[in-house]
Amino acid sequence: MMKKSRWQTLFLLPFIATSTFASETVSADTFNFTQTTVGYAALVIFGIAYTLVMMEEYLQLRKSKPVLLAAGLIWIIIGLVYKDLGQIEVASLR
């Protein structure tokens, strides 16, 4: 029984820490991307990349290539939206 509770704790710990830190980083001046064209485009790009990762053996393609490409495209799209909104400091690396 002791092993099972230890594994449960190790499994739940990242989720507890993530929810705690996520509430600290959200500010009132950020843009909400849900139900926007940019948000849907990011989901489509993510879905395509995920599909390519699952088809790795058939395509003879490394998993990192579609993931990095998708992450870069989504980052560029979100950066351009924040630039158009005049909030460049929100999208910059800190």
Side-chain angles (χ1 to χ4, degrees):
M1 280 244 182
M2 186 65 153
K3 268 189 164 179
K4 188 175 184 180
S5 65
R6 186 179 308 169
W7 283 107
Q8 289 173 346
T9 304
L10 288 174
F11 178 73
L12 292 176
L13 186 63
F15 297 108
I16 294 168
T18 304
S19 64
T20 304
F21 294 128
S23 63
E24 295 174 5
T25 58
V26 176
S27 63
D29 61 344
T30 58
F31 182 72
N32 187 1
F33 287 104
T34 57
Q35 299 183 0
T36 63
T37 306
V38 174
Y40 291 129
L43 285 174
V44 168
I45 292 169
F46 174 80
I48 292 170
Y50 196 80
T51 303
L52 290 172
V53 166
M54 289 188 297
M55 297 176 61
E56 173 195 19
E57 291 182 23
Y58 299 110
L59 299 175
Q60 299 297 317
L61 183 69
R62 290 186 175 177
K63 292 178 184 176
S64 59
K65 290 179 181 180
V67 171
L68 287 173
L69 181 64
L73 288 173
I74 293 170
W75 190 25
I76 288 170
I77 291 170
I78 291 174
L80 290 173
V81 169
Y82 275 118
K83 179 184 169 216
D84 290 342
L85 293 173
Q87 297 179 352
I88 297 174
E89 64 280 349
V90 175
S92 67
L93 293 175
R94 294 178 189 190

